[in-house]
């Protein structure tokens, strides 16, 4: 990527983002009309799915709250969309030119601040977490494009391992029941089991310091020079496998506990993958046109199940092994067990999952630090995080689209009513980021090159 060649662009907002109309008011009103139906569809599906997942018939009050939630969330997202156009035009008129900051970052930052206060307060942390996830990936891609950083192979596995180990340590401490309450721990409980849940009792932590039993004292040492000695070693090994350590909270043997703990998530993960593929291809299934061998019966279908199954098996077996080795339980055992178990992420090395777990961990640890009075509470931190990360995404979408996640670029195209592929990027090449070429390549890869029609609700002057 080339360095910046100029600091300003003298193009107008009409030349850049609404060439079909001279009036900024028309451009702002048009995106309101275009974004509203799309946002309504999105949030209707989100809230409807939330109702279904509750597993019970909704009451009239539930339906009223759902409708209010849909309307409020729609207003939030529409505000974010039209606010960007409005502040972009306003800043261009006030300054008389564009800079790398005022062309996308600053207008989106102001629009995001205005939009997030429209949304319900309980939803703000979730939204901030989502854009922080995508924003972190985008910032890394931007730094990598400039040669400032270099990605390492399977770096997402290391990120996931460090984050999940910290969460498991808090889980073993039992803080998920008190100061670190979060829905993510409920998901962890499914895969690592209730037996690993803290806080541990004094007996399980300290173990049993009592002297060995008479039967154990009477056992003669094994002589490996004879066949009988090897038989005795084998017998004692089998005996060990059939039992469990006194500090283990599970009822069955450690071997059974570990193996069955891995099999259940394995089967469940494969089932989820198959169900998702069938759901995404429901039309082809109904028409009996689905290629089952290429769509369902593939190696990729196993990846999620292998990751979940191996993670559970490794964590439980390592935890049991540490309890046997140290003759006690310790919340710190979650750290090595979590790191070893995270190697299973190689089966499903998803950046989105790794970044989500990282940001969730940072959020939980930060809240714990506030609770323990170790770090100060920053007023409005969630709002500022949302505004900053959303501004980063819009900056990338406008000036450096190759650094932005393709799915998010398509989202920007959809919410804008098809305006993104009508923006004129050539005047922005003065910033030295090769914006026009990057944009064209992204549009071709996403099949968004059709510019024959005006965007939705263009409110054009002709």
């Amino acid at each position: 990527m080339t360095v910046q060649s100029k600091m300003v662009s003298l193009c107008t907002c009409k030349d850049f983002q609404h060439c079909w109309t001279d009036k900024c008011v028309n451009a702002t009103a048009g995106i309101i009309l275009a974004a509203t139906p799309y946002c309504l569809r999105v949030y209707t599906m989100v809230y409807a799915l939330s109702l279904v997942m509750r597993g019970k018939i909704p009451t009239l009050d539930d339906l009223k709250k759902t409708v209010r939630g849909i309307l409020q969330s729609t207003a939030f997202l529409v505000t974010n969309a039209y606010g960007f156009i409005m502040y972009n035009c306003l800043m261009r008129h006030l300054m008389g030119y564009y800079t790398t900051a005022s062309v996308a970052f600053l207008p989106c930052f102001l629009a995001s601040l205005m939009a997030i206060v429209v949304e319900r307060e309980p939803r703000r942390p979730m939204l901030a977490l989502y854009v922080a996830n995508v924003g972190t990936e985008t910032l890394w891609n931007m730094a990598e494009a400039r040669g400032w950083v270099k990605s390492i192979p399977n770096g997402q596995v290391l990120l996931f391992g460090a984050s999940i180990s910290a969460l498991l340590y808090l889980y073993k401490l039992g803080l998920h029941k008190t100061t670190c309450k979060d829905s993510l721990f409920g998901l962890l409980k499914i895969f690592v089991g209730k037996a690993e849940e803290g806080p541990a009792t004094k007996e399980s932590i300290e173990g049993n310091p009592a002297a060995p039993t008479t039967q154990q004292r009477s056992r003669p040492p094994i002589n490996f020079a004879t066949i009988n000695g090897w038989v005795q070693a084998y017998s004692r090994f089998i005996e060990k496998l059939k039992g469990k350590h006194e500090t283990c909270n599970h009822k069955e043997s450690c071997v059974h506990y570990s193996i069955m703990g891995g099999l259940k998530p394995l089967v469940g993960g494969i089932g989820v993958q198959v169900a998702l593929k069938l759901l995404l291809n429901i039309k082809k299934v109904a028409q009996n046109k689905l290629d089952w061998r290429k769509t369902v019966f593939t190696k990729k279908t196993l990846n999620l199940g292998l990751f979940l199954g191996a993670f559970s098996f490794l964590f439980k077996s390592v935890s049991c092994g540490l309890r046997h080795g140290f003759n006690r339980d310790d919340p710190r055992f979650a750290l090595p067990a979590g790191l070893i178990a995270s190697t299973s992420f190689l089966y499903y090395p998803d950046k989105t999952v790794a970044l989500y777990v990282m940001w969730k961990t940072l959020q939980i640890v930060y809240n714990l630090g506030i609770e323990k009075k170790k770090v100060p509470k920053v007023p409005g931190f969630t709002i500022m995080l949302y505004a900053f990360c959303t501004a980063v995404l819009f900056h990338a979408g406008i000036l450096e689209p190759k650094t932005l996640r393709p799915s998010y670029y398509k989202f920007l195209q959809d919410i804008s009513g098809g305006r993104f592929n009508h923006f004129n990027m050539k005047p922005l090449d003065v910033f030295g980021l090769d914006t026009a070429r990057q944009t064209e390549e992204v549009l071709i890869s996403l099949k968004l090159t059709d510019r024959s029609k005006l965007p939705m609700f263009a409110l054009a002057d002709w």
Side-chain angles (χ1 to χ4, degrees):
M1 179 175 290
T2 57
V3 296
Q4 295 179 11
S5 58
K6 291 185 180 181
M7 297 300 294
V8 299
S9 172
L10 297 178
C11 75
T12 65
C13 53
K14 176 185 183 301
D15 296 331
F16 161 47
Q17 67 177 2
H18 54 85
C19 57
W20 50 86
T21 177
D22 291 328
K23 301 175 182 177
C24 298
V25 174
N26 284 6
T28 303
I31 200 166
I32 293 175
L33 295 173
T36 301
Y38 174 79
C39 296
L40 270 173
R41 288 197 303 270
V42 168
Y43 279 111
T44 298
M45 288 189 292
V46 169
Y47 279 86
L49 184 62
S50 177
L51 274 180
V52 170
M53 292 185 68
R54 291 174 60 182
K56 61 179 183 180
I57 298 175
T59 62
L60 184 60
D61 286 339
D62 292 334
L63 293 175
K64 288 181 179 178
K65 288 179 182 178
T66 299
V67 172
R68 286 197 297 268
I70 291 172
L71 295 176
Q72 190 169 358
S73 294
T74 298
F76 145 72
L77 201 52
V78 171
T79 301
N80 219 148
Y82 85 78
F84 170 73
I85 300 292
M86 181 181 70
Y87 282 115
N88 187 288
C89 293
L90 181 62
M91 293 188 73
R92 173 61 182 80
H93 283 293
L94 290 175
M95 296 174 63
Y97 53 83
Y98 278 123
T99 67
T100 51
S102 68
V103 76
F105 184 87
L106 288 177
C108 183
F109 184 83
L110 295 173
S112 300
L113 284 179
M114 182 173 68
I116 193 65
V117 297
V118 176
E119 181 58 286
R120 293 187 300 120
E121 191 170 349
R123 280 183 49 81
R124 294 175 190 173
M126 182 181 64
L127 291 166
L129 194 68
Y130 171 72
V131 293
N133 186 324
V134 187
T136 303
E137 180 183 343
T138 304
L139 285 171
W140 180 269
N141 292 338
M142 290 165 62
E144 191 173 30
R146 288 164 170 76
W148 297 345
V149 296
K150 187 177 181 181
S151 295
I152 60 175
N154 298 314
Q156 63 269 37
V157 178
L158 297 175
L159 188 64
F160 175 81
S163 304
I164 204 71
S165 297
L167 290 177
L168 288 168
Y169 175 63
L170 297 175
Y171 182 76
K172 290 281 288 184
L173 285 173
L175 295 180
H176 65 293
K177 298 178 180 178
T178 54
T179 56
C180 296
K181 291 182 179 180
D182 194 274
S183 58
L184 186 58
F185 287 111
L187 191 62
L188 274 180
K189 186 184 292 188
I190 297 174
F191 301 110
V192 302
K194 194 173 181 180
E196 302 294 339
E197 187 178 25
T201 61
K202 183 178 179 181
E203 291 77 12
S204 64
I205 293 175
E206 295 178 353
N208 186 2
T213 62
T214 305
Q215 183 182 1
Q216 290 173 324
R217 286 198 303 265
S218 63
R219 283 183 173 182
I222 297 174
N223 182 10
F224 287 100
T226 64
I227 295 178
N228 187 46
W230 285 98
V231 172
Q232 289 180 11
Y234 175 76
S235 299
R236 293 184 188 182
F237 175 70
I238 295 299
E239 181 182 335
K240 196 76 171 177
L241 289 180
K242 291 181 179 179
K244 73 181 185 72
H245 195 266
E246 59 191 4
T247 60
C248 291
N249 291 327
H250 51 86
K251 298 178 181 180
E252 62 274 25
S253 70
C254 291
V255 173
H256 183 272
Y257 169 68
S258 301
I259 293 176
M260 293 306 297
L263 282 175
K264 291 177 181 178
L266 171 66
V267 175
I270 295 173
V272 168
Q273 284 285 78
V274 171
L276 284 175
K277 289 191 175 185
L278 292 177
L279 186 62
L280 293 173
N281 294 276
I282 188 67
K283 187 175 181 181
K284 290 183 179 180
V285 173
Q287 296 174 348
N288 199 24
K289 294 181 180 180
L290 182 66
D291 190 335
W292 293 84
R293 186 176 63 84
K294 292 183 178 180
T295 306
V296 178
F297 301 113
T298 63
K299 186 179 178 181
K300 289 184 178 180
T301 305
L302 301 175
N303 289 346
L304 179 61
L306 288 172
F307 157 54
L308 297 176
F311 180 86
S312 180
F313 169 76
L314 288 172
F315 181 80
K316 291 179 177 181
S317 58
V318 172
S319 296
C320 285
L322 290 170
R323 286 189 283 264
H324 279 280
F326 288 90
N327 198 36
R328 60 186 175 86
D329 195 10
D330 194 315
R332 289 172 294 183
F333 290 167
L335 298 175
L339 287 172
I340 292 173
S342 65
T343 58
S344 62
F345 199 57
L346 288 167
Y347 288 116
Y348 194 78
D350 190 278
K351 291 181 182 178
T352 303
V353 173
L355 288 170
Y356 174 80
V357 175
M358 181 199 75
W359 275 103
K360 261 297 182 183
T361 304
L362 291 175
Q363 179 193 29
I364 292 168
V365 171
Y366 175 64
N367 290 335
L368 178 61
I370 294 174
E371 185 74 22
K372 299 291 184 182
K373 297 183 179 179
K374 299 293 184 181
V375 295
K377 183 177 181 180
V378 181
F381 177 77
T382 299
I383 292 175
M384 296 301 291
L385 178 65
Y386 172 82
F388 173 80
C389 292
T390 307
V392 167
L393 297 177
F394 269 72
H395 166 88
I398 297 292
L399 291 174
E400 307 174 57
K402 292 188 76 173
T403 63
L404 186 64
R405 189 181 296 177
S407 60
Y408 199 86
Y409 192 92
K410 289 189 72 174
F411 165 74
L412 293 178
Q413 170 73 354
D414 292 337
I415 197 175
S416 67
R419 281 163 172 74
F420 253 61
N421 65 341
H422 283 79
F423 287 170
N424 179 20
M425 301 301 185
K426 289 183 179 179
L428 306 184
D429 279 343
V430 297
F431 299 124
L433 297 171
D434 208 6
T435 300
R437 182 189 62 81
Q438 282 198 59
T439 302
E440 194 63 29
E441 290 180 2
V442 170
L443 292 176
I444 291 172
S445 66
L446 297 177
K447 299 179 181 179
L448 299 174
T449 53
D450 183 15
R451 302 182 181 90
S452 59
K453 299 179 181 179
L454 288 173
M456 293 175 60
F457 300 99
L459 304 183
D461 295 334
W462 59 84

